[in-house]
Amino acid sequence: MTIALASLIAVAVVVFVISVRAKDLPQPEPVSPFEHLDERKASIYENLRDLQFEYRVGKLSDQDYQQTKLDLQKELAGVMAEIDRVKAEIAAGKIPVPSPELVKANVVKPSPYICPFCKAEFSQPLKFCGECGKPMKAAQA
Ligand SMILES: [Zn+2]
């Protein structure tokens, strides 16, 4: 009897954990305007690491190493500048949201659009708060 009860509870706990997980997973994170930039940044960092490694193990000549490193650093600077630009535009309210389809799909209409985390107000629906960067969709009234 006790064993049956215990295993029942165990099953219930497992089911509960799984259902909670499942509930957290289904909506894919809304696309952040920085996402592709962050990805590019990460891949440049990775390339730099690889480059350094190859140089250290002697696969690259000094010149190749310096040249490639310079290219990657230039690219990185470009990505950083782009991130700053996007941030500035978001702060200025110039970029409402990256993908119109996504916006239409989960239009929530809290009016005005207030960040549930930092209470910043926006005149248009944002995926992510322009102030604190957290997802805004929890702002559903
Ligand atoms: Zn916020």
Side-chain angles (χ1 to χ4, degrees), residues 8-126:
L8 198 71
I9 291 172
V11 168
V13 167
V14 169
V15 168
F16 174 76
V17 169
I18 290 172
S19 67
V20 167
R21 285 265 173 76
K23 211 177 67 186
D24 286 344
L25 290 178
Q27 306 118 318
E29 269 306 295
V31 180
S32 147
F34 303 112
E35 196 172 287
H36 70 287
L37 292 171
D38 280 343
E39 274 167 19
R40 268 174 66 194
K41 199 168 77 176
S43 88
I44 293 171
Y45 278 130
E46 206 175 300
N47 284 337
L48 276 168
R49 269 198 304 272
D50 287 351
L51 183 73
Q52 240 152 23
F53 176 77
E54 288 189 8
Y55 176 60
R56 242 182 268 142
V57 298
K59 275 196 201 166
L60 284 173
S61 73
D62 237 343
Q63 203 191 350
D64 282 349
Y65 170 68
Q66 297 298 345
Q67 186 54 52
T68 313
K69 193 169 93 171
L70 210 65
D71 288 346
L72 285 170
Q73 283 171 340
K74 258 189 234 163
E75 204 184 334
L76 185 63
V79 172
M80 297 301 223
E82 182 70 8
I83 289 175
D84 282 348
R85 194 184 62 78
V86 172
K87 272 187 190 159
E89 289 196 359
I90 286 177
K94 278 189 211 157
I95 298 182
V97 198
S99 142
E101 285 85 352
L102 261 172
V103 186
K104 241 192 277 169
N106 19 290
V107 195
V108 242
K109 346 93 200 136
S111 53
Y113 300 95
I114 298 172
C115 171
F117 298 97
C118 71
K119 309 295 176 210
E121 287 187 29
F122 301 92
S123 54
Q124 50 203 323
L126 296 175

